[in-house]
Amino acid sequence: MTTTAAPLPTVQPGSFLTLHYRLAGPAGDVINTFNDKPATLSLGTGELSPAMEQRLLGLPEGTRTSFELAAGEAFGERNADMQQWVARKLLNELGDPDEKYNVGDVVQFPTPDGLGSYAGAVQQVRDDGAVLFDFNHPLAGQPVTFEVHVIGIL
């Protein structure tokens, strides 16, 4: 009598995954969970870009692989409209009035409904205290290396 092992589960639309992943651009890693605890996420909820989700579909549990995504494919092109000046008065209302902002800092802002947040990177600080933020994803408009190790699929 021969027994056959059940086929490994594969990533499907809507799958709940436990995985390690790394996103890197030309300047190096932006996110890397390999040295920490793995991430858990659901496909189709916007936690990963559609281009990255497409790469995961059909991968069997246990797969470790890497994908190269073309410039702009993972997070879209850079959008100049996503760079905006924020007045010091508004920053004081949203956060700590004594906060010092420096080029390169990443600041979390509440969404208008107060339920979530989004990040902006400081580009410039004016003498009057206003700050130019870039709300583009740090890898927008850049080629991305997406490395993944699918640990579990539910």
Side-chain angles (χ1 to χ4, degrees):
M1 181 169 152
T2 56
T3 57
T4 55
L8 288 172
T10 59
V11 178
Q12 304 295 321
S15 287
F16 187 75
L17 305 177
T18 299
L19 54 96
H20 277 298
Y21 72 102
R22 181 176 73 90
L23 295 176
D29 288 0
V30 171
I31 296 173
N32 186 345
T33 69
F34 282 95
N35 299 322
D36 203 8
K37 64 182 193 338
T40 54
L41 51 89
S42 269
L43 289 198
T45 59
E47 294 176 81
L48 292 176
S49 77
M52 291 188 297
E53 287 194 359
Q54 282 301 120
R55 301 297 195 291
L56 294 175
L57 293 175
L59 292 180
E61 191 172 82
T63 299
R64 182 163 183 166
T65 188
S66 187
F67 303 100
E68 300 297 326
L69 286 79
E73 185 182 0
F75 297 102
E77 294 302 329
R78 293 196 69 71
N79 180 346
D81 294 340
M82 298 283 284
Q83 290 197 13
Q84 297 180 2
W85 285 98
V86 178
R88 185 65 208 213
K89 181 176 183 291
L90 181 58
L91 291 170
N92 291 349
E93 290 170 15
L94 292 173
D96 178 356
D98 297 324
E99 184 73 40
K100 300 275 186 271
Y101 297 96
N102 298 300
V103 172
D105 288 352
V106 175
V107 179
Q108 294 291 326
F109 289 87
T111 53
D113 63 13
L115 299 176
S117 68
Y118 58 97
V122 176
Q123 302 299 299
Q124 289 178 43
V125 181
R126 272 198 325 232
D127 292 342
D128 67 2
V131 178
L132 178 63
F133 286 97
D134 185 348
F135 295 106
N136 283 289
H137 188 283
L139 290 172
Q142 297 186 40
V144 173
T145 299
F146 176 43
E147 182 183 353
V148 63
H149 178 200
V150 181
I151 297 167
I153 302 171
L154 290 177

